Amino acid sequence: MTAPLQVSMTLALGLDPGTATTGYGLVRQYRDGSLEAVDFGIITTPKELPASERLDLLYQELNQILDRFHPETSAVEKLFFQRNISTAIGVGQARGVLLLALAQKGLDVAEYTPNEVKQAVAGYGSADKRQVQEMVRVLLALPEIPKPDDAADALAIAICHLNTNRY
């Protein structure tokens, strides 16, 4: 008698960093290449809090997600040039907190530019946001486009990472 086949799978966490709103998306990939959305959402921090407290809240919330789901791999969107320097600094600080939390859990972290994510998900590095969101919906067999946009972006980052790691 042969044992039943075990379906190997990988759970990836994608993160779209921001101080006010950080999107997260957990995607499971099965041996046959199919994808499943496990969970997605946003982590928000109140504007009235000092930056240090907002970053601490982001850190705590991400650790709760990591402890709940135990992803095997992770990916974070790379910081790209922004015209608004204060926005870029805030995103950079949030990225630092996210990278620290992931490293402390022993997760490998990949980083992708927005164009790399668009290419991997929609097949075109200059795809618009709506095209990428629709492909996320299709690839994950969701009834509608994930909301809010930051969560959809995080799912796209996780899909990009899983597709990139397959090869």
Side-chain angles (χ1 to χ4, degrees), residues 102-119:
L102 296 169
Q104 287 180 336
K105 295 292 184 185
L107 287 169
D108 290 331
V109 181
E111 299 178 65
Y112 301 98
T113 65
N115 285 354
E116 289 171 324
V117 173
K118 292 174 184 181
Q119 178 69 41

Side-chain angles (χ1 to χ4, degrees), residues 83-100:
R83 291 191 178 133
N84 183 337
I85 191 70
S86 62
T87 300
I89 289 171
V91 172
Q93 290 172 334
R95 272 179 42 81
V97 166
L98 299 174
L99 294 172
L100 173 64

Side-chain angles (χ1 to χ4, degrees), residues 7-140:
V7 177
S8 67
M9 52 193 154
T10 302
L11 181 61
L13 170 65
L15 294 167
D16 182 25
T19 305
T21 305
T22 290
Y24 71 90
L26 290 130
V27 177
R28 186 176 315 282
Q29 183 173 49
Y30 293 93
R31 183 184 300 168
D32 66 1
S34 63
L35 300 170
E36 172 190 24
V38 174
D39 192 36
F40 58 90
I42 56 171
I43 300 168
T44 58
T45 63
K47 290 181 195 177
E48 63 274 1
L49 289 180
S52 60
E53 291 180 31
R54 292 176 85 182
L55 294 170
D56 182 53
L57 183 58
L58 177 59
Y59 177 81
Q60 290 176 38
E61 296 270 337
L62 177 58
N63 272 299
Q64 287 178 7
I65 293 165
L66 293 170
D67 289 342
R68 180 172 174 209
F69 292 101
H70 305 284
E72 295 147 327
T73 188
S74 63
V76 180
E77 186 174 72
K78 278 186 184 176
L79 182 60
F80 57 97
F81 176 76
Q82 300 212 0
R83 291 191 178 133
N84 183 337
I85 191 70
S86 62
T87 300
I89 289 171
V91 172
Q93 290 172 334
R95 272 179 42 81
V97 166
L98 299 174
L99 294 172
L100 173 64
L102 296 169
Q104 287 180 336
K105 295 292 184 185
L107 287 169
D108 290 331
V109 181
E111 299 178 65
Y112 301 98
T113 65
N115 285 354
E116 289 171 324
V117 173
K118 292 174 184 181
Q119 178 69 41
V121 174
Y124 178 55
S126 296
D128 66 32
K129 192 175 225 23
R130 179 75 180 168
Q131 288 172 303
V132 174
Q133 291 173 342
E134 178 60 20
M135 283 306 300
V136 166
R137 186 195 70 75
V138 169
L139 290 169
L140 297 175

